[in-house]
Amino acid sequence: MTTPKKTTTPKPAAPDTAAAPAAPAVVEAPRPVILGPVMRKKELIDTVVERSGVKKRDAKPVVDAMLAVLGEALSDSRELNLLPFGKLKVINEKELKNGKMIRVKVRQVAQGQGGGDTADQPDD
């Protein structure tokens, strides 16, 4: 009568925490943006009038001039830093038959974060 041979299976080695690489960091993927309604110039002027308390006839030329200045600056590929609106940077542009297409990246600072515009603060 023969006795069966005992076979031993090798035990897995204990994980060496010092030599193990760190787990990769999880990065959130960009979220899709759900577009809201389009804001037209008339609505912008009405909102400016409501918030500032100035008359519409006084606000309209200011808003028109501001939009013209912003448009010219973007067409010249200038970077705009207009807090709290955000920081605008021209990524690329393409000449079309009826105008120019400009891709712009806008970075907004979270509310309550630093980086406020010091031009609005009074001098001491």
Side-chain angles (χ1 to χ4, degrees), residues 27-74:
V27 178
E28 283 189 40
R31 296 176 291 152
V33 175
I34 299 171
L35 296 177
V38 174
M39 178 181 268
R40 306 255 183 233
K41 186 162 71 167
K42 181 184 181 323
E43 183 183 354
L44 176 63
I45 292 170
D46 292 341
T47 305
V48 168
V49 166
E50 181 182 310
R51 287 196 187 176
S52 67
V54 299
K55 294 183 176 163
K56 189 171 185 174
R57 70 171 186 253
D58 297 331
K60 188 177 183 316
V62 173
V63 171
D64 286 337
M66 182 194 69
L67 291 175
V69 169
L70 292 176
E72 290 167 7
L74 288 175

Side-chain angles (χ1 to χ4, degrees), residues 6-119:
K6 289 186 181 181
T7 58
T8 59
T9 57
K11 292 183 182 181
D16 185 11
T17 56
V26 178
V27 178
E28 283 189 40
R31 296 176 291 152
V33 175
I34 299 171
L35 296 177
V38 174
M39 178 181 268
R40 306 255 183 233
K41 186 162 71 167
K42 181 184 181 323
E43 183 183 354
L44 176 63
I45 292 170
D46 292 341
T47 305
V48 168
V49 166
E50 181 182 310
R51 287 196 187 176
S52 67
V54 299
K55 294 183 176 163
K56 189 171 185 174
R57 70 171 186 253
D58 297 331
K60 188 177 183 316
V62 173
V63 171
D64 286 337
M66 182 194 69
L67 291 175
V69 169
L70 292 176
E72 290 167 7
L74 288 175
S75 69
D76 291 341
S77 299
R78 293 189 61 186
E79 186 173 311
L80 304 173
N81 193 0
L82 305 171
L83 298 175
F85 183 72
K87 189 173 187 177
L88 290 86
K89 186 175 185 178
V90 175
I91 301 301
N92 59 25
E93 55 188 40
K94 179 180 180 181
E95 292 292 333
L96 302 174
K97 290 186 290 186
N98 57 350
K100 187 192 290 190
M101 180 178 70
I102 302 173
R103 281 187 51 213
V104 178
K105 177 173 132 181
V106 179
R107 176 169 295 201
Q108 291 184 319
V109 177
Q111 293 291 350
Q113 294 286 322
D117 192 0
T118 57

